[in-house]
Amino acid sequence: MKKLLSSVLLGASVLALAACSSDEETLIVGASNTPHAVILEQVKPILKEQGIELEIEPYTDYVLPNQDLDSGDIDANFFQHIPYYEGQIADFDYDFANAGEIHIEPIGIYSKKYKTLEELPEGALVLLSNSVSDHGRMLSLLEAKGLITLADGIDKTKAEIKDVKENPKNLKFDYNTAPELLVQMYENDEGDAVLINSNFAIDNGINPLEDSIAIESSDESPYVNIIAVQSKDKDSKEIKALVDALHSKEVQDFILENWGGSVVPVTK
């Protein structure tokens, strides 16, 4: 009986230790559905070979992933570009670190009414995100395409509507729509042009390269999507393994093959 009891206790101890060991090697990453979570699925087998179980926590908004990272509910997140990340740290004093730059999603201009920017009429209504962190990027795209000019000497990543200096077509701006709802506005043919982040476009079956009437250049773009972590975890072996896997040729080829330029990998 003593031997049997000892065996049972030993077995229980082994199982408990195994469970603890497994928990220590589980990495929980919060991600937007597309393309972030899709890309992370490609990383799972790579990490599995290193004894790391990748668990993907899906999100459909821009607020909860950072709140959950701050609270420790997730180990990392993969959904945001650098200017948004920096703005969140400034606003909420998060103790976060950028663990690695992964890809760029060029933003696009879409229209059901017009096939080119040149066709946009005088006083055209342009729909933008209500996320202030998106305004600089969207206005910079409109400037790059010759529709507006921004004031001299400003940080264009932080530009606001009031910074529009020249507006030859007297474009009207509506910036009251949540980023994830802009696709619906476009599908409903609201406004004359709609600026949509590529992750939301792709998630709704829209091809940014084929369906937009203009698209942002990814060259020298500051809007790189990153892996964000708590500062204390930046150098952990699990996070380093995650970033290395995302930078691998296998995963980068997957990104290019599946999105053909509407998602562009980086290796910084």
Side-chain angles (χ1 to χ4, degrees):
M1 180 64 73
K2 287 182 179 179
K3 287 183 178 180
L4 178 59
L5 181 59
S6 297
S7 297
V8 170
L9 292 174
L10 179 60
S13 299
V14 169
L15 287 173
L17 286 171
C20 290
S21 176
S22 176
D23 288 342
E24 289 173 359
E25 296 298 327
T26 297
L27 187 64
I28 305 174
V29 181
S32 299
N33 288 324
T34 308
H36 305 80
V38 177
I39 295 170
L40 287 174
E41 285 290 345
Q42 303 305 306
V43 170
K44 277 187 174 181
I46 299 174
L47 295 183
K48 188 77 171 177
E49 291 178 359
Q50 301 175 54
I52 301 170
E53 190 75 30
L54 176 61
E55 183 178 323
I56 303 167
E57 185 70 32
Y59 289 88
T60 57
D61 77 311
Y62 282 175
V63 177
L64 288 176
N66 280 332
Q67 290 180 351
D68 288 353
L69 178 60
D70 184 56
S71 67
D73 289 341
I74 57 178
D75 301 308
N77 65 44
F78 180 33
F79 79 101
Q80 62 192 324
H81 57 58
I82 291 173
Y84 180 80
Y85 160 84
E86 292 176 342
Q88 287 274 290
I89 290 175
D91 290 344
F92 299 103
D93 198 30
Y94 290 136
D95 186 13
F96 290 171
N98 173 356
E101 301 179 6
I102 309 304
H103 72 262
I104 298 167
E105 300 165 22
I107 201 167
I109 304 174
Y110 299 82
S111 178
K112 292 285 188 181
K113 299 182 177 77
Y114 307 103
K115 294 183 178 180
T116 67
L117 293 178
E118 289 70 27
E119 293 178 24
L120 290 177
E122 176 84 9
L125 179 61
V126 179
L127 307 184
L128 310 178
S129 159
N130 67 358
S131 174
V132 176
S133 64
D134 283 338
H135 290 175
R137 184 180 189 182
M138 292 181 165
L139 292 171
S140 294
L141 173 57
L142 293 173
E143 181 181 52
K145 299 304 179 183
L147 293 175
I148 63 170
T149 302
L150 294 170
D152 296 332
I154 64 166
D155 178 351
K156 293 185 179 181
T157 66
K158 299 178 181 178
E160 300 177 30
I161 303 298
K162 65 181 178 62
D163 296 317
V164 175
K165 180 181 177 182
E166 296 177 7
N167 185 1
K169 287 194 173 187
N170 293 310
L171 301 176
K172 309 301 180 187
F173 300 105
D174 181 326
Y175 44 96
N176 295 307
T177 304
E180 63 271 20
L181 297 179
L182 286 169
V183 169
Q184 182 179 330
M185 302 287 277
Y186 164 64
E187 296 288 8
N188 291 343
D189 199 12
E190 299 187 44
D192 295 299
V194 187
L195 279 76
I196 304 174
N197 296 68
S198 283
N199 61 309
F200 294 119
I202 294 167
D203 207 19
N204 286 275
I206 297 171
N207 186 317
L209 294 179
E210 295 178 2
D211 299 327
S212 67
I213 61 173
I215 195 164
E216 176 185 37
S217 169
S218 59
D219 296 337
E220 302 300 323
S221 173
Y223 298 98
V224 183
N225 283 234
I226 64 170
I227 294 293
V229 298
Q230 290 190 16
S231 294
K232 65 182 179 62
D233 296 326
K234 183 180 180 182
D235 296 321
S236 77
K237 71 171 186 176
E238 292 85 2
I239 295 300
K240 284 184 173 295
L242 171 66
V243 173
D244 286 346
L246 287 165
H247 285 166
S248 69
K249 186 177 186 302
E250 176 184 346
V251 173
Q252 297 218 327
D253 285 348
F254 170 83
I255 292 171
L256 291 171
E257 289 167 7
N258 278 267
W259 291 291
S262 57
V263 180
V264 182
V266 301
T267 57
K268 296 179 182 178

